[in-house]
Amino acid sequence: LQSNGYGPGFAEENTSSEEQAMIKITGKSYLASPNLPDFCGCSPGWSSAFYGAECFDSEVHNYLKNLGKQKSSESQNIDAKKVELEQLLMMETKNYRKTIKFYQKLLQKERRSKGPEPKSMLPKLRGQLQEMKSKVQFLELVKKYVQAKQWGVESYVLPTVIYSGNADTVDMAPMDESSLLLYYNTEKHQCNNQNGVRVLQAGTPLGLMTYLYSRNAFLEGYVQQFLYTFRYFCTQEEFLQFLLDRISSTLSSASLDPSTSLTKICNRSFYILQAWIEDCYSVDFATNTDLLGTLKEFISSKIASLNGYGERLLSLLEDASARKSGSADLCSGVDKCEEESEEGRKTLHSLCKKLSEDVSRKNFYWKLSKGMGPIAQYQREWLHAGSAVLPKPCCSSFPEESSVSLARVDEVGPVPLMECSAQQLCWQLTLLQQEVFNKCHPVHFLNSRALGVKDKSVTVPKAVSAETVSLKVCNLFLSKCIQDQYLLQLLKNADSISIWVAAEIVTCHTTKRQVSLLSKFLLIAKCCYEQRNFATAMKILAGLENLIVRQLPAWKILPAKVAEIMEELKAVEVFLKSDSLCLMEGDRFKTLPTIPSAHVLAMHVQQLETGGFTMTNGAHKWTKLRNIAKVVSQVHAFQENPYTYAPDFKLQSYLRKRITHFKDADISALAADNCANFHQIPAEKHSRKIQDTLRRMKATFQ
């Protein structure tokens, strides 16, 4: 396999002084096994699956090439580069955490004193925060680049990976790379001096697993894309056994020389195994006790004595299990040694997010002009405009505490809804939606047809539980592949919001109150999509578009400005359905929190899954799988950027109770008990109609 153009300089550095067992970092020495990878975060992350080879540009390569050189003529080994990189990253992280604390103190001082000095310093400090954040993110990208370049083998060595996992290779026929993998040539890469590069097009299941050991598998984003999509062509047990066989056959033969193929295969196997645990524990190991037991038994018997690495792997499994049971953020796969700095980065990230909202809120006002035509016209405009038309937050500064009187929190009826502002309700509904969204994984959105998820219909019938859904219909995964069904829970939660919205409206006993509640829900939905909470906004729209709700007399007396919001919501829905990556355009998704519509995303993935997954020769189309991985990777991208609203637990408790109360409600039955849901005909007019009818009937008999 040809290089993807990151230059020849790093290849030699990668095989230079890895033999040294003692590594010094920040003045401290520790013993590291040259046969095993450093125990740190191995997961490439969503950006690797989304950007692919473009994740690491020429700036990253040039920075690493010059790192560790005192003079331009000197050539430094990779260990020295890693040491200097760790020191720079630690120093920059420490500096901007200090700056965050100083910014917070200055902000509190400005709120208390209202003096001129803090106000003059805050803008300068904001600029410094943005600059320091960019610097830390760049150093983290360089660190990931260093990890991605390690332990790969060239294309002509890939057959060795297959032979290394078989105890008896005498009876095996020689296997050529062309029988396992299929490539196509591309034009000259922007970072490559060669005429072109080979890009993986298709491969057999064995070939696709073998390609994980390719030199550029991490750099191309292949590893992360594989972890998202391998269930289409192999089971979790088959993939685990493939890795364990390579570790077993190479562990005893791997020498201290990192340049040997067996050492590279052994170390790459550990990297892939750990990346799999870090990124997919919740969807593969947590749902399959046999798979988890096989891995634990192998760790205890084979690698427990290797410088404590076995214990660290077991500890990693325990931490992943704790995050799963504790409903922690599944997208975080960082090691314990990075938790402190990660907390500081999240704090800075939320600060910079609010700063960006301050800038953007003044120049945004998404309002449909009265002269605009049908929804199709908005769709055509947005398809050309891309994400530039996406709404920016309309508010950036939030009160420290939501002072809402909820004395009647248990009272049946929408009274507390009317007491709260649309913005307060939007914030709390967003936090509730974030709880369930953060528990989902990109893999949950794959093979959703087998779970009964369909377009424009309820995902799971009320009489059928999630466990009884048949997986035989349209199952794209292998039959023995265990699939987590959390997507059904996510969609059911979304449907309950729609039912709640409709139920609250039809149970209002006066038309005036219905108008007020319709206006409230429309304003909540508008605030939600402006804050990029498209999940809640679209489910409120679905509740308002309920057939019973749409026929209410209250719509006729709804204020015109409020009624226009309904058209805005429909336009947003068309935009979300227009492109599977519409929310990932530009850089705004990196700074502003986003919650996508789960059902819309599942429909986009189903569209990509349409058609065959294999070629005429039986090879699986990797280009198809790569596109699917790119679309579902946005789930982890959005989870990295949480909302930071202050929770109002009383209001959240009330909302949960109301949503749960109506989750199985029959809207037509509720509406039938309420006179306000019917068009009232005046008594005199009704009497006159009866008399006219009788008069006409009498005339027919004469």
Side-chain angles (χ1 to χ4, degrees):
L1 182 67
Q2 297 178 8
S3 171
N4 271 7
Y6 295 97
F10 192 81
E12 291 80 6
E13 298 166 354
N14 193 30
T15 59
S16 56
S17 62
E18 294 275 354
E19 303 170 2
Q20 298 179 0
M22 293 298 296
I23 302 176
K24 259 191 174 182
I25 294 182
T26 62
K28 296 181 180 180
S29 299
Y30 67 92
L31 183 63
S33 171
N35 292 4
L36 295 174
D38 297 332
F39 194 79
C40 58
C42 296
S43 176
W46 68 266
S47 58
S48 177
F50 184 79
Y51 294 108
E54 297 178 358
C55 185
F56 307 102
D57 54 12
S58 58
E59 184 180 359
V60 173
H61 169 70
N62 293 332
Y63 182 86
L64 182 63
K65 189 176 181 180
N66 297 325
L67 192 65
K69 292 183 179 180
Q70 302 298 328
K71 298 179 181 180
S72 58
S73 58
E74 294 183 5
S75 177
Q76 193 61 271
N77 59 55
I78 186 59
D79 280 344
K81 293 178 183 290
K82 290 166 66 175
V83 169
E84 184 172 348
L85 181 61
E86 287 287 349
Q87 292 175 341
L88 288 173
L89 184 57
M90 185 178 299
M91 180 179 63
E92 292 294 337
T93 303
K94 185 177 181 181
N95 287 340
Y96 89 23
R97 292 190 68 194
K98 288 182 178 179
T99 309
I100 289 173
K101 294 180 180 179
F102 179 68
Y103 178 86
Q104 292 173 335
K105 292 180 180 179
L106 198 64
L107 198 61
Q108 294 176 356
K109 183 178 180 182
E110 188 266 340
R111 288 176 178 174
R112 289 195 303 264
S113 64
K114 307 290 183 180
E117 182 179 355
K119 290 185 178 180
S120 61
M121 293 181 61
L122 282 174
K124 298 179 181 178
L125 200 57
R126 289 171 186 170
Q128 293 179 6
L129 285 173
Q130 292 283 9
E131 184 179 352
M132 297 172 78
K133 175 189 174 184
S134 300
K135 190 177 296 184
V136 171
Q137 288 179 337
F138 179 77
L139 291 176
E140 288 176 336
L141 190 62
V142 176
K143 181 180 179 180
K144 187 177 292 187
Y145 178 73
V146 173
Q147 294 176 345
K149 290 291 289 186
Q150 289 184 310
W151 315 122
V153 298
E154 300 298 334
S155 59
Y156 63 87
V157 188
L158 289 180
T160 307
V161 177
I162 299 175
Y163 295 130
S164 65
N166 294 274
D168 186 10
T169 59
V170 178
D171 297 333
M172 289 187 61
M175 195 170 294
D176 186 29
E177 183 193 6
S178 60
S179 64
L180 300 171
L181 301 168
L182 180 64
Y183 302 90
Y184 66 89
N185 294 322
T186 63
E187 297 179 357
K188 181 178 179 181
H189 195 274
Q190 59 180 358
C191 303
N192 200 349
N193 296 324
Q194 301 177 6
N195 295 328
V197 294
R198 293 195 303 167
V199 178
L200 182 63
Q201 182 180 10
T204 64
L206 181 59
L208 293 176
M209 286 189 285
T210 303
Y211 192 75
L212 290 167
Y213 294 80
S214 172
R215 181 171 175 265
N216 291 319
F218 272 95
L219 295 178
E220 296 171 354
Y222 179 84
V223 173
Q224 188 66 42
Q225 294 163 358
F226 180 94
L227 293 177
Y228 284 159
T229 59
F230 73 86
R231 298 152 197 85
Y232 288 108
F233 55 85
C234 74
T235 64
Q236 293 97 331
E237 287 80 5
E238 291 172 347
F239 179 41
L240 178 63
Q241 195 60 48
F242 178 84
L243 294 176
L244 299 186
D245 287 345
R246 272 76 206 155
I247 294 175
S248 299
S249 60
T250 59
L251 193 58
S252 59
S253 303
S255 63
L256 295 179
D257 185 3
S259 62
T260 62
S261 298
L262 291 179
T263 302
K264 291 181 178 180
I265 293 172
C266 180
N267 290 334
R268 177 60 69 91
S269 299
F270 277 114
Y271 261 101
I272 296 170
L273 177 61
Q274 186 169 326
W276 185 18
I277 296 172
E278 291 174 355
D279 195 81
C280 300
Y281 178 88
S282 61
V283 293
D284 289 326
F285 295 96
T287 58
N288 192 337
T289 55
D290 293 337
L291 186 74
L292 183 60
T294 301
L295 177 59
K296 287 184 176 181
E297 182 181 357
F298 179 85
I299 294 174
S300 302
S301 60
K302 295 290 185 180
I303 58 177
S305 60
L306 296 177
N307 287 353
Y309 188 73
E311 285 76 4
R312 292 171 181 174
L313 275 180
L314 292 174
S315 177
L316 179 66
L317 290 172
E318 293 177 359
D319 293 342
S321 177
R323 288 197 300 270
K324 170 69 175 178
S325 59
S327 300
D329 189 355
L330 298 180
C331 66
S332 60
V334 295
D335 195 35
K336 289 183 177 180
C337 62
E338 297 177 343
E339 286 181 355
E340 186 177 357
S341 60
E342 183 71 17
E343 181 182 355
R345 286 193 289 274
K346 286 184 178 179
T347 307
L348 176 70
H349 181 75
S350 62
L351 287 172
C352 294
K353 174 181 68 68
K354 291 182 179 180
L355 297 179
S356 64
E357 290 175 353
D358 287 334
V359 176
S360 64
R361 73 178 182 88
K362 297 181 180 179
N363 56 12
F364 169 71
Y365 186 56
W366 189 356
K367 180 185 171 88
L368 304 178
S369 62
K370 296 182 179 180
M372 294 293 283
I375 299 299
Q377 181 175 352
Y378 308 142
Q379 184 182 16
R380 287 194 299 270
E381 293 177 358
W382 288 352
L383 288 175
H384 291 290
S387 65
V389 302
L390 280 178
K392 299 179 182 179
C394 58
C395 51
S396 59
S397 57
F398 310 123
E400 295 182 3
E401 192 70 30
S402 300
S403 57
V404 181
S405 175
L406 292 177
R408 291 170 286 182
V409 69
D410 294 325
E411 179 180 340
V412 176
V415 175
L417 292 178
M418 305 310 299
E419 293 180 356
C420 303
S421 68
Q423 192 179 66
Q424 290 169 334
L425 291 168
C426 166
W427 294 343
Q428 302 312 313
L429 286 171
T430 298
L431 292 178
L432 292 177
Q433 186 66 44
Q434 183 171 254
E435 286 183 17
V436 294
F437 175 68
N438 281 348
K439 297 176 185 177
C440 72
H441 190 278
V443 176
H444 288 142
F445 291 87
L446 306 179
N447 196 29
S448 59
R449 280 194 186 94
L451 302 178
V453 180
K454 299 179 181 179
D455 194 9
K456 298 181 181 179
S457 64
V458 179
T459 56
V460 182
K462 296 178 181 178
V464 181
S465 64
E467 290 77 9
T468 60
V469 175
S470 175
L471 299 181
K472 296 182 180 179
V473 181
C474 302
N475 186 14
L476 300 176
F477 287 177
L478 295 188
S479 58
K480 295 183 180 180
C481 189
I482 298 178
Q483 183 174 4
D484 191 346
Q485 300 182 8
Y486 181 76
L487 178 62
L488 296 180
Q489 183 179 343
L490 185 64
L491 295 178
K492 186 176 181 180
N493 175 81
D495 289 338
S496 64
I497 295 178
S498 300
I499 298 174
W500 164 66
V501 171
E504 292 284 14
I505 295 172
V506 300
T507 53
C508 289
H509 295 289
T510 63
T511 303
K512 183 179 179 180
R513 179 166 289 186
Q514 281 186 345
V515 171
S516 299
L517 201 55
L518 281 172
S519 302
K520 179 72 70 173
F521 279 122
L522 285 169
L523 291 172
I524 293 172
K526 179 181 175 67
C527 187
C528 282
Y529 83 71
E530 287 177 343
Q531 301 298 327
R532 294 177 65 90
N533 176 11
F534 298 102
T536 304
M538 292 301 99
K539 298 320 291 186
I540 293 177
L541 173 62
L544 296 175
E545 286 189 320
N546 181 279
L547 183 61
I548 304 297
V549 176
R550 288 299 293 166
Q551 295 177 355
L552 296 179
W555 288 98
K556 292 185 177 181
I557 57 177
L558 197 67
K561 290 186 177 180
V562 178
E564 288 178 359
I565 300 177
M566 194 69 177
E567 299 304 315
E568 293 184 38
L569 294 173
K570 293 180 180 178
V572 173
E573 183 181 32
V574 171
F575 172 74
L576 294 176
K577 293 180 178 180
S578 65
D579 184 10
S580 59
L581 297 174
C582 60
L583 298 180
M584 297 288 286
E585 296 293 336
D587 294 328
R588 294 184 58 207
F589 73 92
K590 298 179 182 179
T591 58
L592 301 177
T594 303
I595 301 180
S597 171
H599 190 266
V600 173
L601 180 57
M603 292 302 102
H604 282 305
V605 176
Q606 283 190 11
Q607 188 173 5
L608 291 174
E609 290 176 334
T610 303
F613 277 78
T614 58
M615 304 178 69
T616 55
N617 60 355
H620 291 263
K621 301 176 184 176
W622 179 249
T623 52
K624 185 184 183 76
L625 297 173
R626 182 170 58 235
N627 290 334
I628 294 175
K630 184 175 182 179
V631 171
V632 298
S633 68
Q634 59 187 306
V635 174
H636 275 167
F638 297 146
Q639 288 174 342
E640 275 192 356
N641 200 357
Y643 289 89
T644 57
Y645 303 143
D648 187 331
F649 297 110
K650 288 185 178 180
L651 181 54
Q652 288 185 13
S653 176
Y654 169 79
L655 293 173
R656 281 196 178 99
K657 289 180 180 179
R658 297 299 290 175
I659 294 172
T660 304
H661 177 71
F662 288 117
K663 66 178 181 178
D664 296 322
D666 186 346
I667 302 301
S668 59
L670 291 175
D673 296 333
N674 191 358
C675 296
N677 298 324
F678 303 96
H679 293 272
Q680 303 296 327
I681 301 176
E684 295 181 0
K685 186 176 180 181
H686 183 65
S687 177
R688 189 163 52 249
K689 280 188 174 183
I690 295 176
Q691 293 176 3
D692 292 341
T693 303
L694 290 173
R695 192 179 298 112
R696 287 194 301 268
M697 292 182 65
K698 184 178 180 180
T700 58
F701 291 106
Q702 292 178 352

